[in-house]
Amino acid sequence: MRTQVAIIGAGPSGLLLGQLLHKAGIDAIVLERQTGDYVLTRIRAGVLEQVCIDLLDEAGVSERMHKEGLVHGGFDMLFKGERHRIDMNHLTGGKNVMVYGQTEVTHDLMDARKAAGLTTIYEAGNVTVHDFDSASPKVRYEKDGQTHEIECDFIAGCDGFHGVCRASAPRSAIREYEKIYPFGWLGILSDTPPVHHELIYANSPRGFALCSQRSQTRSRYYLQVPLTDKVEDWSDEAFWQELRLRLDPEARARLVTGPSIEKSIAPLRSFVTEPMRFGRMFLAGDAAHIVPPTGAKGLNLAATDVKYLSSALTEFYQEKSEAGIDAYSERCLRRIWRAERFSWWFTSLMHRFPENGEIGQKFQEAELDYIINSEAGALSVAENYVGLPLDFGE
Ligand code: APR
Ligand code: PHB
């Protein structure tokens, strides 16, 4: 089998790259170790920056997003029992974010790929990557008891944090930066109306809480919990009770509870791989970097990696230029580190760090008080949350 680009991973990164390459007339095969249904069971953040929205428009997969997505011009920061709105739309001169679940983005991308008759090989076992330091890389995988080989020009490692591509890069050529946070996020999905029309990020002495949503009838909530907690330790009622304790009186009164349709605990980490290119193999999305979800940057960073990679590969095939692929890693990493910094800062501001003592809580409350009373402070939060312009600092 032969293709121009072998894409490993059928998550948002792999599917979006496949769609953009298809639009550019570039042939790509997507290899995914799970089933499509399994991929769609993953519940992840869904706050899309304008850059991501534009990319989904360009990929031709944004119709349902525009119909069902929720446009948000601000969000509330809750501390010391009071909520304060960050008016992103006003502060950034009209920018918003779109709340639209990642599962829906993935669904739309899968539907588009299928409608175009493009090849996605699900349940591809034991994927391995070879000769990416040459002009003739290869990918091998097992399926239906047979080993298959794909010859290609490029390999796109869109296989997430636990994928095979980053793991296959020569150790001497790769640097990994990591920070693991001393807590997790217990998330619950429920078919209940959201407690508020926008998101609420809560800094409470009991720990962080986040009130988010998927639609007018489906809500997503998170609680900071110790890393030692197990999801089976948390009944639905225990979750709702703890959430109430971390909210302000108005939100507490408005909260509509119901049975969880999904409940899980996720660890938080900051992680960056440098570089993101190894010969003819490129890393994109979670394969190259992870952010704590506080700033809702994961999907948006994956989208900009894919934007840069699809442009670079299109330039290679259409203009016979390697300038884009040579610049790929540096272009991505400049944006990645800015988002990593914001996600780390927002996580440090909003979560409880017992090791910082009571004074640590007081410092956080003082910083929050500064932010909501300073146009400069609020703008700093707003412009990072909506997403810095692609040409920021250029
Ligand atoms: N072979 C084939 N497929 C693999 C392999 C492998 N060895 N390892 C992993 N995969 C698949 C996974 O099953 C998954 O479907 O690669 C896909 C990677 O998808 P994601 O982990 O969702 O990563 P990405 O597409 O970059 O999306 C980033 O997901 O984790 C969130 O916050 C993150 O929103 C961001 C988004
Ligand atoms: C979510 O809706 O899952 C969500 C929203 C914002 C975040 C993280 C998660 O910062």
Side-chain angles (χ1 to χ4, degrees):
M1 210 179 323
R2 192 187 201 293
T3 187
Q4 289 174 301
V5 183
I7 299 173
I8 317 300
S13 297
L15 292 170
L16 181 55
L17 178 62
Q19 194 61 18
L20 291 170
L21 292 177
H22 170 62
K23 290 278 182 186
I26 297 168
D27 183 50
I29 290 176
V30 175
L31 282 169
E32 167 57 52
R33 71 175 167 191
Q34 305 289 359
T35 63
D37 288 343
Y38 182 90
V39 172
L40 288 172
T41 62
R42 296 179 184 131
I43 306 292
R44 300 266 177 68
V47 176
L48 310 184
E49 297 175 357
Q50 191 58 50
V51 169
C52 186
I53 295 167
D54 296 345
L55 209 47
L56 295 173
D57 286 338
E58 181 185 337
V61 297
S62 60
E63 183 182 349
R64 191 161 71 100
M65 176 193 65
H66 287 297
K67 198 181 299 177
E68 298 177 11
L70 306 168
V71 177
H72 283 198
F75 61 86
D76 281 3
M77 297 179 90
L78 162 57
F79 66 101
K80 294 174 74 175
E82 290 184 11
R83 293 206 324 243
H84 307 270
R85 185 168 186 263
I86 298 289
D87 186 347
M88 297 188 294
N89 184 273
H90 167 71
L91 288 161
T92 63
K95 292 184 181 179
N96 301 304
V97 293
M98 171 86 78
V99 175
Y100 185 66
Q102 177 176 306
T103 307
E104 307 318 316
V105 173
T106 305
H107 214 300
D108 296 342
L109 286 163
M110 280 181 177
D111 289 350
R113 187 164 183 82
K114 190 174 181 182
L118 301 175
T119 306
T120 304
I121 298 170
Y122 287 103
E123 297 181 279
N126 192 23
V127 173
T128 52
V129 291
H130 308 273
D131 305 331
F132 46 82
D133 53 356
S134 78
S136 311
K138 296 179 186 63
V139 175
R140 293 192 189 103
Y141 67 95
E142 293 166 6
K143 188 161 173 82
D144 303 328
Q146 291 194 322
T147 297
H148 304 266
E149 180 172 283
I150 299 175
E151 295 179 352
C152 53
D153 299 330
F154 298 100
I155 297 170
C158 300
D159 49 349
F161 183 67
H162 302 288
V164 66
C165 293
R166 187 180 76 248
S168 301
R171 292 298 96 191
S172 60
I174 195 168
R175 288 179 306 284
E176 297 179 343
Y177 302 86
E178 183 171 59
K179 176 182 179 60
I180 294 175
Y181 296 86
F183 41 75
W185 275 22
L186 168 62
I188 204 167
L189 195 65
S190 59
D191 279 332
T192 55
V195 70
H196 188 53
H197 69 283
E198 292 178 326
L199 273 56
I200 302 174
Y201 286 83
N203 168 301
S204 135
R206 298 180 65 89
F208 170 79
L210 171 59
C211 302
S212 184
Q213 53 202 251
R214 291 292 178 271
S215 68
Q216 307 294 358
T217 60
R218 178 166 286 193
S219 299
R220 179 71 168 165
Y221 294 101
Y222 296 96
L223 294 176
Q224 172 187 349
V225 294
L227 279 175
T228 49
D229 276 14
K230 301 279 181 288
V231 67
E232 49 269 21
D233 299 339
W234 283 89
S235 67
D236 289 0
E237 193 38 50
F239 183 96
W240 297 124
Q241 186 49 30
E242 183 59 35
L243 177 61
R244 287 189 188 96
L245 293 174
R246 301 187 189 185
L247 292 178
D248 60 292
E250 183 202 346
R252 195 175 301 138
R254 289 173 55 92
L255 181 66
V256 176
T257 65
S260 59
I261 54 178
E262 193 272 347
K263 188 163 55 179
S264 55
I265 294 180
L268 276 70
R269 79 176 74 232
S270 301
F271 178 85
V272 179
T273 305
E274 289 188 355
M276 292 170 55
R277 176 209 180 171
F278 305 90
R280 290 277 183 119
M281 181 172 76
F282 299 86
L283 304 181
D286 275 17
H289 44 75
I290 298 287
V291 282
T294 322
K297 291 299 172 196
L299 182 55
N300 293 297
L301 280 181
T304 33
D305 290 352
V306 165
K307 175 183 179 60
Y308 291 148
L309 184 52
S310 60
S311 302
L313 293 170
T314 302
E315 186 182 84
F316 174 84
Y317 284 110
Q318 293 182 359
E319 299 167 33
K320 303 291 180 252
S321 162
E322 301 204 7
I325 58 178
D326 290 343
Y328 170 74
S329 188
E330 186 183 345
R331 284 185 85 187
C332 289
L333 285 166
R334 194 170 188 201
R335 187 167 182 82
I336 287 159
W337 279 112
R338 286 174 175 147
E340 290 279 352
R341 192 279 316 166
F342 173 68
S343 302
W344 157 79
W345 170 81
F346 202 16
T347 300
S348 306
L349 177 65
M350 299 304 289
H351 290 74
R352 191 92 182 84
F353 293 80
E355 65 277 21
N356 293 348
E358 289 311 303
I359 195 168
Q361 179 68 22
K362 300 298 282 183
F363 285 152
Q364 289 177 335
E365 290 170 0
E367 183 165 7
L368 286 160
D369 176 63
Y370 163 71
I371 287 167
I372 56 123
N373 288 293
S374 154
E375 175 126 4
L379 173 57
S380 173
V381 174
E383 70 174 350
N384 279 283
Y385 196 90
V386 300
L388 296 174
L390 283 175
D391 60 357
F392 182 86
E394 289 181 11

